[in-house]
């Protein structure tokens, strides 16, 4: 935010990092990368927006303790939206990936307090891959306040 | 944000525009309207929240290249949540629209960097209509930082 | 946001409140609590992020007029994701709750204008319980701007 009359408030910059996925559908824990960006930003208080610039993937927050939770999520999304039983028209064979992307959402916004991400005990931030394996980007933006 | 001791930082204002939809279920590309608001705000850096004040519609980000992607999304949402096969109790006949609204989400937050929306190559921002045709509002708020 | 050269802009602090849920799946209207936090923050303009730190619950915005809408949402989510017909692997018997959590989303961001939450006529903000009854936390963060 710019202050008036010559006073300058430094904007924070967007950060981008790469995620390499190894399956068609996969949840990659990106909490460490996001936490590092929070630390380096020096923000004591604010929010952070974690953004996926791809249309066959998304960002979600879920349990990090039992990997079966993420496996179950992959399974049920495939069961409901998978290509096999549905007469999709899009010829690339990844209409299910686009639908999963919109339902998951392109971003998550997390609160920063006392210089740290405020996540629940069992929460991690995941890159949700729905049309991998690919090399993907994640954009992250800290808003201080 | 207000600075202390008499220094005044101008708040940005919310912007509202109208979307006219022409079908019951439809995705309307509102990226140009949102991009214009970013330009006019003069924000070099920050985030923008695009918000839908209706309970039978939402905001989503998805592919803008092949219109079949959006057609497939309409089709699969209707297949899973449509009124025909499900014993909904709400008497207005649009329970499916409310469910789709919550799963799509009421808003999207996008990063602003170097004065521009940071969208992926294939991404557009869509108003997701689930109970049209109607005249709808979209609220947009720029946060500089 | 911190201004340069000794000028100090007071950060707003995160607020946390408790929600007690009474069913396994339930939507609790938390709009009054969120509206109070907006009032007390003194923010004339900005955004507010309402965040759920649990992985079997979420935050959503939907209709507050006819309770059948929320009943229908509970019903259809149970129909599609419920434990009965699906071979989930996670042994706690709440894989469906985790899936519903990710699809609902962990947070909602709402615009503040003229000191008030900008919600549509029929919109309320709900804590979406998918594995209750429990005592839950909600974190709320105001960003002025």
């Amino acid at each position: 935010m710019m202050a008036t009359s010559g006073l300058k408030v430094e904007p924070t910059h967007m950060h981008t990092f790469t995620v390499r996925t190894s399956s068609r559908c996969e949840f990659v824990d990106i909490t460490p990368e996001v936490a590092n960006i929070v630390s380096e930003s020096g923000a004591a208080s604010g929010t952070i927006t974690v953004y996926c610039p791809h249309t066959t993937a998304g960002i979600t927050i879920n349990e990090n303790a039992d990997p079966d939770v993420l496996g179950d999520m992959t399974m049920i999304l495939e069961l409901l939206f998978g290509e096999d039983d549905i007469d999709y028209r899009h010829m690339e064979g990844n209409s299910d990936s686009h639908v999963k992307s919109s339902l998951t959402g392109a971003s998550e916004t997390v609160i920063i307090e006392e210089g740290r991400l405020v996540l629940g005990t069992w929460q991690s931030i995941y890159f949700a891959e729905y049309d991998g394996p690919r090399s993907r980007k994640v954009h992250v933006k800290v808003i201080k306040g």
Side-chain angles (χ1 to χ4, degrees), chain A:
Chain A
M1 178 179 298
M2 297 300 184
T4 53
S5 54
L7 183 91
K8 205 166 135 197
V9 178
E10 289 297 325
T12 58
H13 292 292
M14 183 178 81
H15 296 256
T16 301
F17 61 87
T18 299
V19 175
R20 291 188 184 280
T21 60
S22 54
S23 309
R24 182 163 195 271
C25 292
E26 183 185 3
F27 295 84
V28 181
D29 189 342
I30 57 173
T31 315
E33 286 85 349
V34 176
N36 275 346
I37 291 167
V38 170
S39 293
E40 287 171 13
S41 76
S45 169
T47 57
I48 186 164
T49 296
V50 182
Y51 185 87
C52 167
H54 309 284
T55 58
T56 54
I59 306 292
T60 194
I61 292 174
N62 218 307
E63 177 174 320
N64 55 22
D66 179 356
D68 279 346
V69 167
L70 300 172
D72 282 346
M73 185 139 25
T74 302
M75 183 265 289
I76 182 71
L77 291 178
E78 186 59 26
L79 196 66
L80 290 177
F81 303 110
E83 291 280 328
D84 288 350
D85 302 323
I86 298 165
D87 188 25
Y88 288 122
R89 296 188 56 188
H90 179 51
M91 298 303 288
E92 292 182 31
N94 62 356
S95 282
D96 65 319
S97 318
H98 289 288
V99 175
K100 293 169 186 173
S101 172
S102 267
L103 296 182
T104 303
S107 72
E108 290 285 348
T109 294
V110 181
I111 298 169
I112 301 168
E113 187 79 351
E114 298 183 355
R116 301 177 60 180
L117 279 176
V118 180
L119 291 171
T121 312
W122 309 108
Q123 287 184 322
S124 281
I125 307 169
Y126 289 94
F127 182 87
E129 172 65 83
Y130 296 126
D131 194 26
R134 299 203 198 195
S135 176
R136 301 289 207 172
K137 298 287 183 200
V138 176
H139 299 316
V140 181
K141 175 76 183 174
V142 172
I143 298 286
K144 298 178 182 177

